[in-house]
Amino acid sequence: MVDKKVDFIIVGTGLAGLAISRELNFRGNSFIAFDNSSQISSYVAGGIFNPVILKRFTPAWKAKEQMEIAIPFYAEMERELQQNFINHWDIYRRFYSIEEQNDWFVAADKPLLAPYLDQNLVKNSNPSVKTDYGFGRVKHTGNLDTEVMLEAYRDQLQKKQLLKAEKFDYDLVKMDGNRIVYKDIQAKYVIFCEGFGVTRNPFFNYFPLHGNKGEYIIIKSPELKLDFAIKASVFIMPMGNDLYKVGATYNNHDKTPEPTSEAREQLEASLKQVINVSYEVVDQVAGIRPTSGDRRPVIGKHPEFENMYCFNGFGSRGVLIAPYLAPKLADHILENSTLEQEIDIARFKKRYFRRN
Ligand SMILES: Cc1cc2nc3c(=O)[nH]c(=O)nc-3n(C[C@H](O)[C@H](O)[C@H](O)COP(=O)(O)OP(=O)(O)OC[C@H]3O[C@@H](n4cnc5c(N)ncnc54)[C@H](O)[C@@H]3O)c2cc1C
């Protein structure tokens, strides 16, 4: 028996579910969300917002547009939830050669990168850090403490009875004309935001979501004294209280959720190339990034069921991408606007076989 009627059911409250549920709520839609904590990518993420690809000194996909939307979006959440979770710090890209320094200066002159890349070479003034060629400074970057943010948001939803901390069971979904019935809930639409968990979703497991495991170690080092992040072969990110996140790894093969000793060894080996002070590893975390076959987000309508949607494929950049794409998906559902082909799940429709 239907007990509750809502506009949307949202499955997953990671970065994707958070962004789309807030967007729909701003527009006056009701929703109920499900989350069973089966994926923790958003939870363990470094939370870094950085518009520049630091390997090649190129702008990330739609980086400027994403920064313009995402940072005010999270700042508004901070005010509403009365929590601080945005940290602003610069990223210092360690150079490996004179050629890299030259490439940096060329990149820093380009209009899209000029606001972010400092034109001056930064000499190292921290004796705890090793570098022969200095650093390039990336401005207007920082990170979100995603754990604090997600917990505060989920708490708020639970208090309003908008979140069920349980597994969404795909087998119990019933299509009733243009309505979806799930247990005692009737909804106009369902949006699946399960990250790598979508691989278990029989409605959407047809598009290629490979997943990429990432691990961080958390170290304590009172001697390190960094108030900026370093990007070398690893990222070293200040967390306060002499704690630093060091990572992350990229592994396409292992899809298990547990932290591994291999990752820890790899991260420590890289860390020792960058710092020359002692530290203690105090924690290690792992998650699976939802990385699509063509490395673009995967959002939009199910090929067969009109009122089923997917919001996924944010890979290693969910912090900036999710708030940028949430209004686009909301426009698509509510205003029938067209999605850009490169992000529309329709690009994979040939892989879909009808269910009956
Ligand atoms: C180590 C690591 C470091 C990272 N660092 C960064 C970074 O610095 N910056 C950045 O932008 N991105 C980073 N990322 C990537 C970022 O975490 C992802 O892009 C983002 O988390 C994807 O969010 P999501 O909501 O799509 O998926 P998820 O975070 O996986 O969320 C999916 C949610 O759905 C729930 N769920 C799934 N199935 C069900 C079900 N059947 N029933 C109920 N609930 C369900 C899960 O419990 C989960 O909460 C990092 C990722 C990792 C692993």
Side-chain angles (χ1 to χ4, degrees):
M1 206 186 74
V2 170
D3 194 35
K4 194 173 171 64
K5 289 187 180 174
V6 288
D7 295 319
F8 286 85
I9 293 173
I10 293 174
V11 183
T13 57
L15 291 168
L18 177 150
I20 191 65
S21 59
R22 278 183 67 84
E23 181 64 32
L24 292 167
N25 187 245
F26 288 147
R27 297 181 187 212
N29 295 278
S30 59
F31 70 87
I32 184 123
F34 287 79
D35 203 304
N36 64 345
S37 302
S38 51
Q39 295 293 327
I40 55 165
S41 177
S42 297
Y43 231 75
V44 302
I48 299 165
F49 49 88
N50 161 33
V52 185
I53 296 179
L54 290 172
K55 215 174 189 174
R56 304 185 289 272
F57 313 147
T58 50
W61 178 73
K62 311 260 189 202
K64 183 171 174 284
E65 296 92 318
Q66 289 173 14
M67 289 283 282
E68 282 166 3
I69 290 176
I71 306 307
F73 172 89
Y74 294 118
E76 174 58 32
M77 273 192 79
E78 274 194 330
R79 280 191 291 276
E80 190 188 303
L81 297 171
Q82 299 190 343
Q83 290 274 353
N84 292 326
F85 46 77
I86 308 178
N87 305 305
H88 292 278
W89 31 249
D90 295 334
I91 299 172
Y92 282 36
R93 166 62 157 83
R94 192 169 81 135
F95 293 131
Y96 291 91
S97 62
I98 301 284
E99 289 74 41
E100 272 205 337
Q101 292 177 347
N102 291 336
D103 292 346
W104 177 274
F105 294 130
V106 172
D109 257 349
K110 296 188 175 156
L112 268 177
L113 292 170
Y116 304 110
L117 303 189
D118 191 337
Q119 289 278 1
N120 302 304
L121 179 71
V122 181
K123 292 217 173 86
N124 183 27
S125 58
N126 184 334
S128 317
V129 177
K130 304 186 229 176
T131 168
D132 293 330
Y133 297 96
F135 301 100
R137 183 169 74 104
V138 192
K139 301 175 283 184
H140 311 303
T141 52
N143 85 316
L144 303 179
D145 188 328
T146 53
E147 194 177 320
V148 169
M149 178 180 77
L150 289 172
E151 274 184 6
Y153 186 57
R154 288 173 186 173
D155 259 14
Q156 187 198 55
L157 293 186
Q158 263 174 334
K159 282 192 188 121
K160 295 181 179 170
Q161 299 192 325
L162 299 179
L163 173 64
K164 287 185 183 283
E166 62 187 52
K167 179 181 170 190
F168 184 85
D169 186 344
Y170 308 104
D171 294 339
L172 302 183
V173 173
K174 293 192 193 110
M175 309 305 288
D176 178 12
N178 56 358
R179 295 277 186 273
I180 287 164
V181 178
Y182 179 76
K183 296 186 179 172
D184 59 350
I185 303 166
Q186 189 189 78
K188 293 182 191 158
Y189 309 95
V190 57
I191 306 181
F192 291 107
C193 316
E194 310 110 310
F196 187 64
V198 77
T199 49
R200 292 193 207 104
N201 178 338
F203 299 104
F204 278 108
N205 62 1
Y206 66 91
F207 76 85
L209 193 86
H210 301 317
N212 181 291
K213 183 167 177 176
E215 300 192 44
Y216 268 111
I217 52 172
I218 290 130
I219 63 161
K220 187 167 180 82
S221 177
E223 290 171 83
L224 190 51
K225 304 249 177 287
L226 287 182
D227 57 5
F228 51 86
I230 293 182
K231 169 71 178 99
S233 52
V234 280
F235 237 104
I236 308 172
M237 197 174 82
M239 298 170 72
N241 298 325
D242 298 324
L243 294 169
Y244 300 86
K245 260 188 174 175
V246 179
T249 55
Y250 288 81
N251 187 329
N252 276 324
H253 306 292
D254 178 7
K255 303 290 156 63
T256 58
E258 295 81 21
T260 60
S261 55
E262 292 79 12
R264 176 179 166 154
E265 281 159 24
Q266 181 193 330
L267 291 172
E268 283 200 70
S270 301
L271 176 65
K272 284 174 186 157
Q273 289 173 6
V274 189
I275 68 168
N276 54 21
V277 287
S278 60
Y279 63 87
E280 180 195 353
V281 179
V282 294
D283 201 2
Q284 186 175 354
V285 290
I288 313 285
R289 302 175 184 91
T291 312
S292 72
D294 58 8
R295 312 223 153 228
R296 283 282 177 267
V298 183
I299 77 173
K301 196 184 285 183
H302 190 272
E304 195 176 342
F305 302 115
E306 283 281 308
N307 40 6
M308 257 186 198
Y309 289 84
C310 176
F311 195 51
N312 210 318
F314 300 160
S316 56
R317 290 193 159 259
V319 168
L320 288 179
I321 295 181
Y324 167 71
L325 288 183
K328 293 190 188 293
L329 180 62
D331 284 347
H332 180 60
I333 301 172
L334 301 169
E335 318 284 340
N336 210 15
S337 69
T338 310
L339 291 171
E340 286 166 71
Q341 209 187 341
E342 66 175 338
I343 57 170
D344 191 340
I345 191 168
R347 70 193 188 275
F348 298 116
K349 68 171 182 270
K350 282 197 182 128
R351 300 171 65 109
Y352 181 73
F353 296 100
R354 288 182 83 81
R355 289 166 65 81
N356 296 309

